[in-house]
Amino acid sequence: TLKPKANGRKMHSYNGKVAMTCVIFIFGLVFSPQTLGYSVLPQHKNGRATTVSSTPIQQTKSHDSRRGFLTSAAVQSATFLSILLPVTATAASAFDNRLDDKYADALATTGAQPKDLGVATRKSRTEGSYVGLKMCGNSPNCLASSNPVADLPVRTIAGWNGGSIKDVKKVIDTYEVGHDDIDGGGFKVVEYDEKEKYIYVQFQSYKAGYIDDFECWYNPKSGLFDVRSSSRVGYSDLGVNNLRLEYIAGRLEKEFKWTFERRRNGSLA
């Protein structure tokens, strides 16, 4: 693997911010709403701000002057900076255990973290409801085991038969980033509840920075561990979620004697 280049990374980040600042300032000069003759100030009615107005306004002496023009552009530039810079900073941050720093500063397409992860009572197409992890959608970038198989046979796998959620945590703690050319962006344990026998981990791709969500939970009703691994964006995952589950299951099988119900081809899915 490539060695991290800390100094080069900092200079690249600094130059990028300077360039971004210049571009946004020019953008403010050219596309300032005052320049285009429109007001972006909130309109007030009965003491309350209403929708933003896009009605033409008359140019005042302040806007006709060079000082007024530059002041207006600077205000617009500052507005764009306040919106864009936090996004850039968040996107550039990477998991500490990634393979290396080669693409750590690249603009990552992380996608939004789903708000309905975890264990909950969920709707079932065939049984009315079930308690467990979220069911996959129709896109082939997700695998799960909580929902009734009849709800979505092609995306549903069998639960895992094992001893303890601690086993899963140990495998995750020593997870090999970059195995099978996946998850080179590293991973992060977001939630681990030993009492509830639940773990939630985020995995990131090496170049594009896609984040996938992995969950494992002991289902007291079935006596098995339910799992779910899903991509946030896109349609096809090129088999990444399946490779991740195979890696985790393989280690659980070898190191902790877990057992798995596999398909005729020998795979989990």
Side-chain angles (χ1 to χ4, degrees), residues 10-49:
K10 290 180 180 179
M11 182 58 70
H12 172 75
S13 178
Y14 175 79
N15 291 339
K17 290 181 179 178
V18 172
M20 178 65 75
T21 301
C22 294
V23 170
I24 294 173
F25 184 78
I26 295 174
F27 187 93
L29 289 176
V30 177
F31 296 99
S32 169
Q34 283 82 357
T35 306
L36 299 177
Y38 289 87
S39 171
V40 295
L41 296 176
Q43 304 300 307
H44 292 266
K45 186 176 182 179
N46 297 328
R48 296 183 178 180

Side-chain angles (χ1 to χ4, degrees), residues 132-147:
L133 306 178
K134 181 181 178 181
M135 184 171 62
C136 294
N138 293 321
S139 57
N141 58 4
C142 173
L143 293 167
S145 66
S146 277
N147 56 275

Side-chain angles (χ1 to χ4, degrees), residues 164-174 189 192 199:
S164 171
I165 193 67
K166 295 180 183 179
D167 300 341
V168 182
K169 180 63 160 54
K170 290 177 181 177
V171 170
I172 296 299
D173 286 342
T174 55
V189 177
Y192 175 61
I199 188 170

Side-chain angles (χ1 to χ4, degrees), residues 84-211:
L84 293 180
L85 287 182
V87 175
T88 303
T90 302
S93 62
F95 294 147
D96 294 335
N97 53 12
R98 65 179 288 111
L99 197 59
D100 54 53
D101 281 358
K102 186 174 181 180
Y103 298 100
D105 286 337
L107 187 63
T109 310
T110 60
Q113 177 178 326
K115 298 181 179 179
D116 53 353
L117 297 180
V119 181
T121 300
R122 305 181 183 278
K123 293 182 179 180
S124 168
R125 301 172 184 173
T126 59
E127 298 184 10
S129 66
Y130 72 94
V131 176
L133 306 178
K134 181 181 178 181
M135 184 171 62
C136 294
N138 293 321
S139 57
N141 58 4
C142 173
L143 293 167
S145 66
S146 277
N147 56 275
V149 177
D151 282 358
L152 194 65
V154 71
R155 307 278 175 259
T156 305
I157 63 176
W160 295 0
N161 185 17
S164 171
I165 193 67
K166 295 180 183 179
D167 300 341
V168 182
K169 180 63 160 54
K170 290 177 181 177
V171 170
I172 296 299
D173 286 342
T174 55
Y175 190 86
E176 181 186 355
V177 297
H179 74 85
D180 299 304
D181 293 326
I182 70 168
D183 299 335
F187 64 92
K188 177 182 179 181
V189 177
V190 179
E191 183 178 349
Y192 175 61
D193 192 327
E194 189 173 314
K195 182 179 179 180
E196 297 297 329
K197 302 177 182 179
Y198 172 82
I199 188 170
Y200 166 40
V201 188
Q202 295 176 353
F203 293 91
Q204 189 167 39
S205 66
Y206 184 51
K207 294 182 179 180
Y210 298 121
I211 287 185

